[in-house]
Amino acid sequence: MKHLLLLLLVLLSAGPCLAQPTKGANQTPDSHVGFVPRWRSLLTKGWRYHAGDDPTWARPDFDASTWDTLTLNRPVHAMPRATRAGVCWLRLRFRLADSLRQRNLALQFYRLGTADIYLNGRLLTDSAHRARTRGFCYEPDWLEVPANGPAEQVLAVRFVPWRLFPLLGTDRLPLLQARLLTQRQRQRVDTKCAVQETNYWVITTVFLLLTLLHYTFYLYNPTQRANRYFARYALGFCLATMGVNYGIIGFAILPSWQWSAAIAATGGALVTLSGFYLLRAMYSLFGLQPGRVYVGLVVIGCLVLPIKVLTMISPWAGLAALLSGILGLAEIVRITVRALRQRRRGARIIAAGFAGGLLIILLYTGLRLLGIYLSPSLDDWVSYAPILLPALAISLFLAREFALDAELLLVKLREVEHLSAQTIAQEQDKQALLAAQNDTLEHQVAERTDALQRSLTDLHATQAQLIQKEKMAGLGELTAGIAHEIQNPLNFVNNFSEVSTELVEELQQALAARDTAEATELASDVAQNLGKITEHGKRAAAIVRGMLEHSRTSTGERAPTDVNQLADEYLRLAYQGLRAKDKTFNAQLQTDFAPGLPLVEGVGADLGRVLLNLFSNAFYAVHQRQQANGQLGYVPTVSVRTKQVGDRVEIEVGDNGTGMPAEVQAKIFQPFFTTKPTGEGTGLGLSLSHDIIAQGHGGTLTVESQAGQGTTFTICLPS
Ligand code: ADP
């Protein structure tokens, strides 16, 4: 099967030969085969050629001396033009040496066409032979030339050439070679063919294995891209050789020369492509970037490829392919030499591969020149060596790289294992440390929480105490006020009781004197007095009740409350409370109660506490101002005003006391904020008041004040 390639090589690489068949005419044998070389005897010269078709031209006695002469074993373009009809006849008169004439010989034709071959007028090619050689076949059957034939023999060939490609050479007579061998030679040729066929498949398999091997390397280590390129190169080459094999097989399945030719063309393209990949692999191996040279080679390769395919049987195709091949090889040699100079790792292996290939070519050629022929199988292998050796060298280099990488990885893996073991140990230590720290922290947190809890409990207790103190302070003021307030009704009760006693005595006298009119008047006076006594008694009882309510803890139950009355009552209580402490203190009380004010849903005791607190602070402030500068004409005044605003009730408690600067105003509702000297204030009054109004009653408590001018607190409650 290698014949297909050989034939292509013959087609593509034969140099231009302009020899034309010379015209001549004589009946003498045109070729005398007296000497058979070791391998082949070519029936090259002495052929006669004539276009047209006539069965009588097969006869041995036909005189073809007027026909054109023809020399075989020439490139197609050097052959004469075929006729349009395409049928032509060729004749060869030859004489065999006596030694050969006694032996059975074998005849073989290489051609691109269908041939009916006659020997001495007898048709050698039967219909089966014709059927077998319909396609693009280079391995025609052997034709038997029996021993002891006539001394002068005639070969006549009726030839129908195939139309090949639409370009060069299609109009030429594509008869290429005819050879006559002894049976021993024929056996050798057959053996060689068989060896070649096997070797061909071996080469295909080797490249397939290289493809798989290097793709696998690439899969496991994608950073080494040379493996990918090399695998592509090997695949391209493998497919190209396989294409040649299957081209022949394909011919058997689909017997047409077009099929075989297409496969051969594809094979050519694949070889070019795999050449590019070989270059890429080399660049990648030596860590180079494909530069302008590579681009140039690709352009040349791409240009040459169609030329090669379209001019398959032209010498130029062969020349172009050879040129581009040599350029590619030169580039490979250049980068290999450069890598050698740079002492790149593995450069020697690759150089050795290429040098080995080159050496074998030289040796082989030298032996041929010396006339030394190797045995068929060795000869065949030697011819593959220039392809195989560099490929195997590159493969070896890449495999070595892979092994080194793997070794490196192993070392790194061990390092990583070592490091991770260290890290795990450190991590465990850290965890243990953290656990210990956590324990300590938890312990500390528990201790602190306990301490905080205790502080909180203490604080609550202190707060409760302070609130109690605040209440008691209020109570003190209240008690003083109440004592004074109760004094009045009591005086009234006492006075009226005394007056009533006198009136009753007078009544008794009037009754004794039977003065009815006087008695009636006196009785009415007594009744009036008793009314007054009851009124003031009730007033005293109310004051006592108020005091009790104030001192009692609020139940929080809301009830409709008369705000006017509450404000009036607590204004006075507060005033009297302060006066009880300082008899010299006097203040003007101003009230402005809105008539018909709606009752407010509220807790009377709580609201009372708020009002008492506001009034006490107001009296304290005016007292302070009075004491501070003792201005003449200063009248300490505390006022209370109620009014209805929408559905809300407002209570304004105003004074013309010391007033407050802004920074004090900002803090007065904070618990424990006080400007009063120790013992006089707790700082809880306004904070509690704010809570009672805002949270307890859903209202607001606001302040407006100017330092040195006075202050107004406004309570706003929903009615
Ligand atoms: P305490 O009266 O115990 O100080 P409060 O909460 O009732 O606590 O008052 C806080 C502070 O607000 C007082 O110390 C005082 O400085 C200021 N303050 C309250 N009312 C008035 C007012 N009418 N005039 C001036 N300052 C006031």
Side-chain angles (χ1 to χ4, degrees):
M1 292 190 188
K2 195 184 160 195
H3 291 152
L4 180 61
L5 271 191
L6 283 177
L7 184 68
L8 274 177
L9 277 175
V10 169
L11 281 170
L12 299 177
S13 65
C17 176
L18 302 174
Q20 289 293 322
T22 50
K23 298 211 175 190
N26 58 47
Q27 283 286 103
T28 55
D30 297 305
S31 177
H32 176 77
V33 186
F35 170 72
V36 179
R38 190 167 176 196
W39 288 118
R40 61 187 182 181
S41 169
L42 298 181
L43 301 174
T44 309
K45 292 179 181 163
W47 287 88
R48 297 281 172 173
Y49 153 77
H50 192 68
D53 192 13
D54 184 348
T56 60
W57 293 344
R59 286 165 48 187
D61 54 350
F62 177 75
D63 179 12
S65 57
T66 54
W67 288 10
D68 293 338
T69 57
L70 181 69
T71 305
L72 295 191
N73 203 18
R74 300 258 177 223
V76 171
H77 72 277
M79 299 296 275
R81 290 180 193 283
T83 58
R84 285 217 170 271
V87 185
C88 62
W89 280 77
L90 293 106
R91 283 174 63 93
L92 176 73
R93 226 171 245 284
F94 64 95
R95 214 182 263 276
L96 284 173
D98 286 345
S99 58
L100 282 179
R101 207 146 59 90
Q102 288 154 14
R103 293 157 79 170
N104 280 331
L105 296 177
L107 184 67
Q108 198 181 35
F109 276 88
Y110 287 90
R111 71 272 180 277
L112 302 176
T114 314
D116 297 329
I117 300 160
Y118 297 84
L119 181 67
N120 305 322
R122 187 169 64 84
L123 182 64
L124 294 182
T125 47
D126 54 9
S127 56
H129 177 92
R130 285 183 64 133
R132 274 198 301 279
T133 56
R134 246 188 311 148
F136 199 45
C137 178
Y138 300 98
E139 217 173 322
D141 286 353
W142 293 101
L143 300 171
E144 298 297 335
V145 178
N148 302 320
E152 190 177 278
Q153 310 203 30
V154 175
L155 259 179
V157 180
R158 180 184 179 274
F159 187 58
V160 185
W162 295 318
R163 296 260 167 259
L164 275 177
F165 293 98
L167 289 177
L168 290 175
T170 53
D171 57 343
R172 301 287 172 168
L173 186 66
L175 186 76
L176 302 162
Q177 204 184 76
R179 60 183 182 176
L180 194 60
L181 304 179
T182 63
Q183 289 302 332
R184 208 163 139 247
Q185 285 172 327
R186 173 190 163 170
Q187 271 171 9
R188 283 189 174 194
V189 169
D190 282 347
T191 315
K192 190 171 179 182
C193 280
V195 168
Q196 280 173 344
E197 191 175 322
T198 316
N199 288 352
Y200 217 74
W201 281 110
V202 170
I203 291 288
T204 306
T205 314
V206 166
F207 275 89
L208 186 66
L209 287 177
L210 287 178
T211 307
L212 293 176
L213 184 73
H214 289 277
Y215 262 127
T216 314
F217 283 166
Y218 176 67
L219 280 183
Y220 281 96
N221 181 13
T223 51
Q224 179 58 286
R225 305 185 84 188
N227 273 316
R228 189 173 65 169
Y229 294 129
F230 185 71
R232 285 183 185 170
Y233 153 70
L235 182 68
F237 202 81
C238 166
L239 287 177
T241 54
M242 208 187 275
V244 175
N245 292 343
Y246 281 102
I248 305 303
I249 292 169
F251 161 70
I253 302 164
L254 188 72
S256 91
W257 62 266
Q258 286 98 333
W259 167 256
S260 305
I263 295 277
T266 313
L270 280 171
V271 169
T272 309
L273 197 68
S274 66
F276 296 153
Y277 279 120
L278 180 64
L279 260 176
R280 287 300 293 267
M282 296 290 291
Y283 285 128
S284 183
L285 274 181
F286 296 134
L288 300 170
Q289 283 299 318
R292 266 183 270 167
V293 179
Y294 175 73
V295 176
L297 284 171
V298 170
V299 171
I300 292 173
C302 291
L303 287 175
V304 163
L305 191 65
I307 296 174
K308 241 163 74 176
V309 173
L310 292 174
T311 63
M312 225 168 171
I313 47 178
S314 143
W316 303 114
L319 269 184
L322 197 67
L323 192 71
S324 59
I326 287 172
L327 286 177
L329 201 66
E331 173 64 356
I332 287 178
V333 170
R334 183 184 75 84
I335 57 175
T336 311
V337 169
R338 194 175 134 168
L340 272 177
R341 281 217 193 108
Q342 291 174 346
R343 296 179 182 277
R344 277 196 167 267
R345 198 167 67 170
R348 282 190 192 175
I349 300 179
I350 290 166
F354 279 101
L358 205 66
L359 200 70
I360 285 177
I361 292 176
L362 292 176
L363 271 176
Y364 187 70
T365 318
L367 287 176
R368 278 280 166 112
L369 288 175
L370 290 173
I372 302 168
Y373 290 87
L374 302 170
S375 75
S377 60
L378 191 60
D379 179 89
D380 203 44
W381 272 117
V382 165
S383 66
Y384 289 129
I387 298 167
L388 266 181
L389 279 180
L392 289 177
I394 295 174
S395 175
L396 187 72
F397 170 77
L398 285 171
R400 188 165 158 265
E401 288 285 294
F402 189 76
L404 287 177
D405 282 351
E407 209 170 306
L408 199 72
L409 272 180
L410 212 65
V411 171
K412 283 195 177 154
L413 190 71
R414 285 208 197 102
E415 267 176 30
V416 168
E417 274 173 1
H418 182 66
L419 282 175
S420 54
Q422 269 184 353
T423 315
I424 288 170
Q426 281 173 357
E427 197 58 35
Q428 279 171 350
D429 284 356
K430 261 192 217 163
Q431 291 293 339
L433 203 70
L434 270 178
Q437 278 178 348
N438 268 351
D439 275 357
T440 318
L441 276 177
E442 270 173 25
H443 191 64
Q444 283 177 352
V445 166
E447 272 179 4
R448 299 262 159 87
T449 314
D450 270 1
L452 275 175
Q453 197 63 46
R454 277 199 299 278
S455 308
L456 202 66
T457 317
D458 290 354
L459 197 69
H460 279 311
T462 315
Q463 267 182 353
Q465 276 174 7
L466 277 169
I467 290 168
Q468 194 56 32
K469 197 177 165 194
E470 170 68 19
K471 270 190 195 167
M472 293 316 286
L475 195 63
E477 278 164 16
L478 200 65
T479 316
I482 283 166
H484 183 266
E485 283 293 291
I486 286 178
Q487 195 65 42
N488 260 348
L490 264 183
N491 285 344
F492 274 114
V493 169
N494 288 340
N495 289 343
F496 279 116
S497 299
E498 279 171 24
V499 172
S500 294
T501 312
E502 285 170 14
L503 281 175
V504 168
E505 278 172 12
E506 281 177 25
L507 180 63
Q508 283 171 340
Q509 287 168 6
L511 280 174
R514 297 200 185 269
D515 186 351
T516 318
E518 178 71 4
T520 310
E521 199 179 326
L522 284 170
S524 123
D525 285 348
V526 169
Q528 257 184 7
N529 276 0
L530 287 175
K532 290 280 180 197
I533 288 167
T534 312
E535 186 191 327
H536 288 282
K538 277 185 184 166
R539 168 121 180 90
I543 290 164
V544 171
R545 196 172 55 247
M547 188 184 72
L548 285 175
E549 263 178 25
H550 187 86
S551 63
R552 225 183 13 241
T553 316
S554 165
T555 55
E557 275 178 31
R558 292 193 187 186
T561 308
D562 184 348
V563 169
N564 285 345
Q565 193 195 333
L566 203 67
D568 192 34
E569 204 170 296
Y570 278 91
L571 175 67
R572 276 162 225 295
L573 284 177
Y575 180 55
Q576 294 307 334
L578 201 71
R579 269 177 54 80
K581 285 185 204 161
D582 183 356
K583 290 279 176 214
T584 61
F585 175 66
N586 277 307
Q588 190 180 327
L589 306 185
Q590 286 180 354
T591 55
D592 178 7
F593 295 124
L597 201 67
L599 297 179
V600 166
E601 275 297 310
V603 185
D606 287 352
L607 291 177
R609 197 175 294 162
V610 172
L611 286 167
L612 183 67
N613 193 47
L614 295 182
F615 288 136
S616 301
N617 281 342
F619 282 121
Y620 184 88
V622 291
H623 188 42
Q624 285 295 109
R625 183 171 171 189
Q626 191 182 41
Q627 281 186 337
N629 45 21
Q631 292 161 333
L632 282 177
Y634 171 68
V635 184
T637 310
V638 173
S639 64
V640 60
R641 195 155 75 105
T642 59
K643 60 176 174 179
Q644 186 176 1
V645 181
D647 58 349
R648 299 173 85 87
V649 167
E650 269 188 15
I651 310 164
E652 280 178 14
V653 176
D655 65 70
N656 59 351
T658 51
M660 288 176 273
E663 61 271 20
V664 173
Q665 282 182 49
K667 294 179 189 166
I668 54 171
F669 293 114
Q670 290 175 7
F672 309 111
F673 175 78
T674 181
T675 56
K676 294 176 186 171
T678 323
E680 282 193 42
T682 57
L684 279 171
L686 284 179
S687 141
L688 283 174
S689 301
H690 187 269
D691 285 355
I692 288 169
I693 297 300
Q695 287 160 23
H697 291 84
T700 55
L701 174 60
T702 51
V703 65
E704 272 177 45
S705 182
Q706 274 195 322
Q709 297 289 314
T711 305
T712 304
F713 281 94
T714 307
I715 302 171
C716 186
L717 290 168
S719 59

